[in-house]
């Protein structure tokens, strides 16, 4: 999985500065972080709707759209996929409740 997502991350990085009339990534990037974040939200909602409808194929497709748009947002924020994956690795083996409580203590 890391290889596929890393390849997508590289493709997004290359296309961010492309001609917006030739690249969806460039067009979305040119519209700003707010628009990118809005697209992440839209794809998340569409994923939830598909899952609740029990439509497996639609859930898979919307999940792919969500991951794609999240990677575009991460690129815009200057955050690497490895940073996110490292955080997931750090949390591996921790109870979700324990991990969540530790974040509250840090605030």
């Amino acid at each position: 999985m890391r290889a596929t997502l890393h390849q997508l991350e590289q493709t997004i990085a290359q296309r961010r500065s492309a001609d917006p009339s030739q690249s969806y990534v460039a067009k979305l990037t040119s519209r700003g972080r707010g628009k990118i974040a809005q697209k992440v939200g839209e794809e998340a909602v569409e994923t939830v709707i598909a899952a609740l409808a029990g439509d497996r194929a639609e859930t898979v497709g919307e999940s792919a759209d969500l991951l794609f748009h999240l990677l575009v947002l991460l690129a815009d924020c200057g955050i690497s996929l490895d940073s996110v994956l490292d955080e997931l690795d750090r949390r591996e083996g921790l109870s979700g409740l324990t991990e969540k409580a530790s974040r509250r203590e840090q605030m």
Side-chain angles (χ1 to χ4, degrees):
M1 177 172 89
R2 278 191 181 218
T4 300
L5 291 176
H6 279 112
Q7 181 58 50
L8 180 56
E9 180 182 46
Q10 289 175 3
T11 300
I12 289 167
Q14 293 168 352
R15 292 185 181 165
R16 283 174 44 80
S17 60
D19 179 350
S21 69
Q22 301 294 313
S23 166
Y24 174 74
V25 170
K27 181 179 177 180
L28 186 57
T29 298
S30 74
R31 296 179 75 191
R33 187 171 296 164
K35 184 60 178 177
I36 299 167
Q38 179 185 349
K39 286 299 297 179
V40 172
E42 289 171 9
E43 298 303 341
V45 168
E46 290 170 1
T47 302
V48 169
I49 291 168
L52 291 175
D55 187 331
R56 185 181 192 288
E58 190 71 15
T59 302
V60 169
E62 294 299 343
S63 295
D65 291 347
L66 176 57
L67 287 171
F68 169 81
H69 285 90
L70 179 59
L71 286 174
V72 174
L73 181 61
L74 290 173
D76 194 70
C77 293
I79 298 171
S80 70
L81 174 61
D82 280 333
S83 294
V84 175
L85 295 175
D86 289 346
E87 177 61 13
L88 288 172
D89 287 344
R90 184 191 69 76
R91 294 179 185 187
E92 179 63 27
L94 290 177
S95 158
L97 297 175
T98 302
E99 193 281 325
K100 191 170 183 177
S102 74
R103 282 188 275 154
R104 273 189 245 123
E105 292 170 5
Q106 294 172 4
M107 291 181 182

